[in-house]
Amino acid sequence: KKLLNCLVNAGINCTYAFLHAVGFAMRDVSKVFLGAHAFMSNGALYSRVGTAMVAMMAKEKNIPVIICCETYKFTDKVQLDSFVMNEQGNPNDIVNISTTLAPKPGLLSEWLNKPDLKLLNLLYDLTPSKYITTVITEVGMIPCTSVPVILREYK
Amino acid sequence: MESLKDASQKLKSSVKNSISLSAGADLFLRFVTRTSHDVTNFEACKEHLMNSGKVLVEKAAAVREKIGDLGVQFIKDDATILIHSYSRVVMLLLQRAAACKKRFKVYVTESRPSCLGIRATKLLCKAGIPATVIYDTAVGYIIDKVDAVFVGAEGVVENGGLINAIGTYQLAVVAKAANKPFYAVIESYKFVRLFPLNQYDLPTHTPDLLTFPDLEHHTDLSEDEIIGNYEAINPSVDYTPPDYITLLCTDLGVLTPSGVSDELIKLYL
């Protein structure tokens, strides 16, 4: 919503949609731009949860996926999936189903009272390198498999 | 330096299909800027520039021999090869393989509109290698009979993709679908600092191809006039993404498509 605010204030025509509608929205899309929290040495992107889904959808339709990432976010680590390392957010954040500013709890509001129910709010996910077309860094445009090369050159 | 850059720009804009030319020119500029710290006066600088130019030209010719030696290992005895259009490196490679007493057959695509495939076939037959011309459209028909596909290139882009004569992308897609290896054979001075996101990002893209004749308002045109000059608006090169390329044989060694970016970063960053 913050991004939407920024773009609308800059005068750009925007359409806001839920993540479930990404397949439908892809029909009108020619390029996808995503941000990054970190870039692994196997070319995988570690970013906000939902990023991987958008990238995969775009790849299915042969739409270029462009990641904008500074080189200080490149790491020596290698991660193969989203579960090996992740961060849990506050589970109460997913109880609120309101689309306006006023919170409206849904069916999950009594989750603490139900012994068999646990809520999981993961904050990050991993996008494999095959879904990423290019990475734009301050040193230029590189393919995502060249992340370890940049790390090597700058050591 | 400025006049060098201007000359390079002029050269690039004078030739229609200038991708390999721009790659070579950029490489020369880079070579000159990197090695000119130890030169003291202007005369010595000029001398140095001329010598660098000569060295580059000599190296360019010798480079193909080196690639031929490296690439021969991919042609097995009793193999059937498929090549596209006419490429001097691929020709040298095939002749080198024949000289190593390997027996193989070659299918060559006709490569319309240039029809350079026919020229390639004639040269191969003269060298004693059995070769046949096939239609560009018959690639799907013939792919199951083929063991490997070899192509040259006008340029290799930053992500390891190829820019080559029109029809290469189709060939690569068919080869991938049929699980046949797709090898690119290319000199390292053709590594170019472009990063196309798709076909229409190339500097040689012909936007007229995407327009359609206005049939409602021009009912008095003859059939030939409606078609127009389609040869002028059709592209002459296309872009093959790196996912379809198995390996690249270059004078820097046999590289994977991601290795191309490695080499470019070492050179330019």
Side-chain angles (χ1 to χ4, degrees), chain B residues 18-209:
Chain B
S18 63
I19 293 183
S20 50
L21 190 64
S22 67
D26 285 339
L27 193 67
F28 181 61
L29 269 169
R30 187 77 194 161
F31 181 54
V32 163
T33 45
R34 261 201 173 163
T35 56
S36 55
H37 294 303
D38 39 335
V39 175
T40 43
N41 62 8
F42 186 67
E43 276 307 312
C45 193
K46 249 170 81 172
E47 179 88 26
H48 176 78
L49 270 176
M50 302 272 281
N51 286 339
S52 322
K54 284 195 193 122
V55 162
L56 198 66
V57 167
E58 279 166 14
K59 265 192 172 171
V63 140
R64 282 189 212 124
E65 305 280 323
K66 204 169 166 195
I67 297 177
D69 289 329
L70 270 175
V72 162
Q73 59 183 307
F74 292 109
I75 300 179
K76 307 231 167 17
D77 212 22
D78 216 12
T80 309
I81 312 279
L82 174 58
I83 67 173
H84 182 62
S85 188
Y86 175 77
S87 159
R88 287 169 293 184
V89 203
V90 176
M91 286 292 124
L92 193 80
L93 173 65
L94 294 175
Q95 282 159 359
R96 188 59 66 87
C100 290
K101 305 274 188 264
K102 296 199 187 209
R103 295 160 301 174
F104 56 95
K105 298 179 285 224
V106 184
Y107 287 112
V108 188
T109 56
E110 194 190 4
S111 321
R112 302 211 83 221
S114 59
C115 293
L116 285 171
I118 301 179
R119 180 169 156 204
T121 317
K122 286 183 188 162
L123 275 168
L124 285 171
C125 290
K126 245 193 220 168
I129 302 168
T132 314
V133 180
I134 61 167
Y135 287 149
D136 302 329
T137 36
V139 165
Y141 182 82
I142 209 82
I143 195 78
D144 284 325
K145 292 278 179 192
V146 162
D147 295 314
V149 182
F150 282 84
V151 298
E154 301 261 341
V156 175
V157 293
E158 283 192 51
N159 57 2
L162 282 187
I163 299 181
N164 197 19
I166 190 86
T168 309
Y169 178 43
Q170 247 155 251
L171 188 49
V173 173
V174 169
K176 181 145 197 188
N179 285 321
K180 306 287 176 181
F182 186 89
Y183 299 115
V185 193
I186 179 162
E187 305 96 313
S188 66
Y189 63 78
K190 285 189 177 164
F191 285 6
V192 61
R193 294 219 69 189
L194 275 177
F195 204 135
L197 296 174
N198 51 31
Q199 296 292 345
Y200 318 112
D201 255 354
L202 293 180
T204 52
H205 170 51
T206 44
D208 294 334
L209 189 65

Side-chain angles (χ1 to χ4, degrees), chain A residues 31 59 64 66 133-135 139 141-143 145-146 149-150 152-154, chain B residues 158-160 169 193 195-198 201 243-244 258 261-262 265-266 269:
Chain A
K31 286 188 178 66
K59 183 70 184 187
I66 303 163
T133 315
T134 178
V135 184
V139 299
M141 268 168 85
I142 56 168
T145 47
S146 289
V149 178
I150 299 279
R152 184 191 73 207
E153 292 294 318
Y154 281 89
Chain B
E158 283 192 51
N159 57 2
Y169 178 43
R193 294 219 69 189
F195 204 135
L197 296 174
N198 51 31
D201 255 354
D243 307 331
Y244 297 99
S258 2
S261 179
D262 193 339
I265 289 174
K266 273 199 283 200
L269 274 182

